[in-house]
Structures are given as C-alpha cells and as structure tokens.
Amino acid sequence: MFKNQFFASPGQVDGEPRRKGRVYAAIEVPELDDGLQPYEAEPVYLECVDTSWFNSFEASENGALWSKLFQAAPLSVLELTSYKLPLFPEGSKPGDIAWFEFGYEPASSSESDARIYTNLLSEGATVKISFHEPRPIGWAERGIIGEAAQALAKYNSSSSSQYSLKKRLARISTAGGVAFYDVGQGACQAAIDNELHIPQLYVDFGGGVLTNKKTFPDGFAGFCFTRDPMVILSHWDWDHWSSAQRWPEALNTPWLTPPVPLKPIQLTFAAELHERGSLHIWDAAWPGTITAGAVTIERCTGRTANDSGLAVTLRRRRNSPKNCLLPGDADYACIPSVVAGESFNALCMTHHGGRLHSPTYPKAKRGAASVLSAGPRNSYRHPLFDTVATHLEHGWSLPTGTALSGQRPCHVLVPWGGRPHILQGGCHGGMCATAVSAIAPANGKITKFARRRGDAM
Ligand SMILES: [Zn+2]
Ligand SMILES: [Zn+2]
C-alpha cells in the first residue's frame, strides 16, 4: 500500500542521512496585517522535495497517476534555525505558496544554520545552507504540483460524497460531550456518545511532530475506531493530521477536508488518502455551511490555510442550544458564526493559543468551559500570554489544558453544560487511549468503562 518514506514509521528510520541536498522548498505567505515581521518570533519550516525528482517531470508525458507518483517523492522539511527566511517574491499575497530553491551541506551544530528532516517523526540533522534562490509565485503549478492540482479539481467535481457524508454526520451521537485529546503540540478532538463513551467522530487527528515530536505523550496506546468514526480535518497543517501516520488505521476512514494546499508534503498526504478512497474535499462548489444532525461545519473566510479551513460546532443533539466550537487554527474573525455573534458553552482556544491577527473573539455563555490543546515546552511557546489573557478578557474561563497533568496522556472531556474533566482514557482491550473509561481519576466522575458493542459486561 501507498507509503512515502517521509511517513514511514519511526522504527524503520535510523537517523538522518548526513548528506548534501538540493531542494525546492514551499512556504505559505502569512497574514501581515498585524504589522509584525513574518515568522520573526517563530521557527520557520518549509516543505521540500528534491529538485532532481521535481525536474524529472518537466515536459515529460508520464501517464502515471499523480497520487502514485507522490509515493516516491523525496520529501523533507527544512527548518531555518538561524538562516533568515528570504523575502517573499514580489507581488505575493497572504495564502500564496512561495517557493525557493535551497542547497545545503551537513554541518556540526555550532556551524549549522538549519535542520533537515526526511521523516515526519525524525529528530532532524543539522545542516548549513549553501545558497538560496527565489522562484516566482505560481512557478510550481507548471510542473507535477500543478498536475496534481488539476487532477484533484477534476476528481472533486465528479465526486458525489456531499450527500452521503451528510447522512453519515446526521447519525453521529454527540450526547456524551466533547473530548480533547492529549497529542502533544497539535490537535485531536472527538464527539463522544453517552452510551459507550467512545469517539463517534474525530475533528482533526494531529499531534506533535519534528521538533515537537517530544511533546507527544509516551504510552499513548492508540485511537478508538470501534464506531467507525470519520475525520473532519480543519486544515492541512501537519499538527492536525500527523497521528494518522502513527496509527494508519485512520487512513481508511472518510476524511472531510478543505482544499489541499499545493505544498509537497500536504499533497503527498492527500495522495495517500486519495489512494485509499478516503479523501473528500469541501471545495468552492460546496455550501459555506452544512448542518447535519448535531454537527455544523463552516468554511472559514480568510486567505491563509489556518484561516480558510473548516470550523466545526458540535451540539448535544440536533437543534440543542448546548454547543462547542472547534475552530482549528482559524482566526475568529474568519468564522461566520462567531462574526454573527453566536455564543458558546465550550471552546477549544484557536491555534493552540498562538498569535491571532484580529480583535474578534467568540462570546462565552454563562459557565462556559474553555480548553487548550498544546504540547508542554513546544517550540512555538504556545499558548502565548496575550492570547490567553485576551480570551479571559472576553469572558472565557482559564482554559483546561491537554497535558495538564505530568501523568500523560492527560485528555480533557467537557460534558454538555458541565465542567471539564481530565482523564487518561482507554478501554478494556488496552488497544486505545481515547475511549472515556473508568481509569479517569476520581474527579473525572466518569465511572463507566467503554466496551465494544456486544461485549457482555
Ligand atoms: Zn495551522
Ligand atoms: Zn495547529
């Protein structure tokens, strides 16, 4: 089955090869309206593919499916640790993908100015950049990347998944509340039913990777798939889907996603889902908002990947006033229901408590709960003081964080209208860490074991 080396399980990877390389590197042009220099206070990561692989497709009729070709793409991530991100090409706008060519050589850590990772879960190796050269905006669309984009657009317009996914969403039981899983620096949430207390729908399926791999909890036994939960992906950043590479079973369930950014790693992951028939893209032909049963999904209205993805509101049941907003990493000003003044009982603070670029915040109902999903000691320093403080000013409570306890994983469950509980999760079989079970600490007040359907107990 489809498996790019970049996603091979860490057991199959023995350290980074020490070699020089030439890559085409892609990065999104961020919003600049907050007056800050882009990426100044944050690590810079670029999605790369070897130049030789990319160039081998130029002007050649290859005939093979794009999703098969990406299986062999030599992918990597280049982290600029002290090398300054070159200026974006003239005329670039937020949300555009900027491309550069980079050359690098192995270097000791004292001489290095960057790190290269050839696997999503590798520790990376120190390198020194030997040169960089910008490419004009739109450059990559002439090659294999553009071919993939065209194929995706064609595939999507012929797909009839909207109706069947809506039917599937309408059946989902959410009455047990919303679980926020401790996946380190990243996000993974689920709708929980009130009978078996297990995940019925995942909203994002991420976790800590690369520099932040160390924030992923040891001893996380796996995810519960007993009820065939589908996944809604808020946006394509790695920290929102990477757990599907740790537990590939997740690749076989339907994923409802925003359009795929034209960056090599995200395209390769999309190719993997596509090859398994699991990819369902919410493109411009879909409505801005869909409500099916207790699930409402909105298309965010911004320009960047964070701000133009899908925001999910879960309710206790269809038409219930009890609601929980899962914004992914979107700025609140880009979520139509927030802009329209809807108030919420529960909220996952957007973007892991990272930097926002608008003064819009969702309204909190009386007694509302807030949750934060970030990994301890992550490289972004999430959550940021200002972001948490501004939530408090807008009436939100101090958030309950995933990984709150040093005994990890430490998940959070917010029952409808109740206070957040912390719990460890797991089921009788010991195969998962995401069923809400009796091993929750006493304050969890959750005393019922999750069990498989049909289990006598
Ligand atoms: Zn993001
Ligand atoms: Zn994120």
Side-chain angles (χ1 to χ4, degrees), residues 77-137:
V77 167
L78 184 65
E79 178 187 5
L80 303 181
T81 48
S82 57
Y83 197 87
K84 233 176 116 52
L85 180 68
L87 288 179
F88 292 117
E90 189 125 354
S92 44
K93 303 182 300 301
D96 285 347
I97 306 296
W99 286 83
F100 301 92
E101 185 176 349
F102 277 97
Y104 61 83
E105 282 164 16
S108 67
S109 50
S110 60
E111 286 169 342
S112 74
D113 50 18
R115 278 184 99 79
I116 193 86
Y117 304 80
T118 57
N119 184 284
L120 193 59
L121 298 176
S122 96
E123 312 277 324
T126 50
V127 295
K128 188 160 182 57
I129 304 287
S130 44
F131 73 92
H132 80 256
E133 212 169 279
R135 292 279 174 259
I137 289 293

Side-chain angles (χ1 to χ4, degrees), residues 236-429:
W236 287 87
D237 281 353
W238 318 317
D239 56 325
H240 293 257
W241 51 261
S242 56
S243 282
Q245 299 301 348
R246 298 173 190 259
W247 284 279
E249 193 177 349
L251 300 169
N252 297 326
T253 199
W255 286 59
L256 178 56
T257 76
V260 193
L262 302 183
K263 296 199 284 184
I265 293 170
Q266 294 171 349
L267 273 170
T268 303
F269 177 56
E272 191 170 26
L273 290 173
H274 179 64
E275 285 282 304
R276 291 167 187 256
S278 304
L279 180 64
H280 306 275
I281 300 172
W282 182 315
D283 66 6
W286 289 45
T289 303
I290 284 181
T291 293
V295 184
T296 295
I297 312 172
E298 301 174 80
R299 179 193 290 122
C300 302
T301 56
R303 301 186 282 188
T304 62
N306 279 350
D307 291 346
S308 61
L310 305 176
V312 178
T313 297
L314 299 176
R315 293 174 198 281
R316 181 179 217 153
R317 61 181 72 85
R318 173 186 285 276
N319 296 326
S320 165
K322 292 270 190 284
N323 58 355
C324 170
L325 175 64
L326 305 174
D329 286 352
D331 195 280
Y332 296 121
C334 299
I335 304 174
S337 60
V338 173
V339 173
E342 187 166 347
S343 54
F344 298 90
N345 295 90
L347 169 74
C348 187
M349 287 190 177
T350 194
H351 198 197
H352 324 284
R355 195 150 57 83
L356 299 182
H357 53 83
S358 89
T360 305
Y361 280 71
K363 284 191 196 139
K365 288 184 188 160
R366 185 193 297 268
S370 72
V371 179
L372 184 76
S373 185
R377 300 172 63 86
N378 64 78
S379 62
Y380 301 100
R381 300 188 172 87
H382 291 164
L384 303 179
F385 269 112
D386 281 359
T387 304
V388 175
T390 314
H391 278 89
L392 301 183
E393 279 164 26
H394 283 80
W396 288 98
S397 59
L398 201 62
T400 306
T402 59
L404 179 73
S405 165
Q407 294 173 289
R408 301 186 55 210
C410 176
H411 312 309
V412 178
L413 175 74
V414 181
W416 294 112
R419 290 173 180 280
H421 301 309
I422 59 171
L423 69 143
Q424 203 138 55
C427 58
H428 272 325

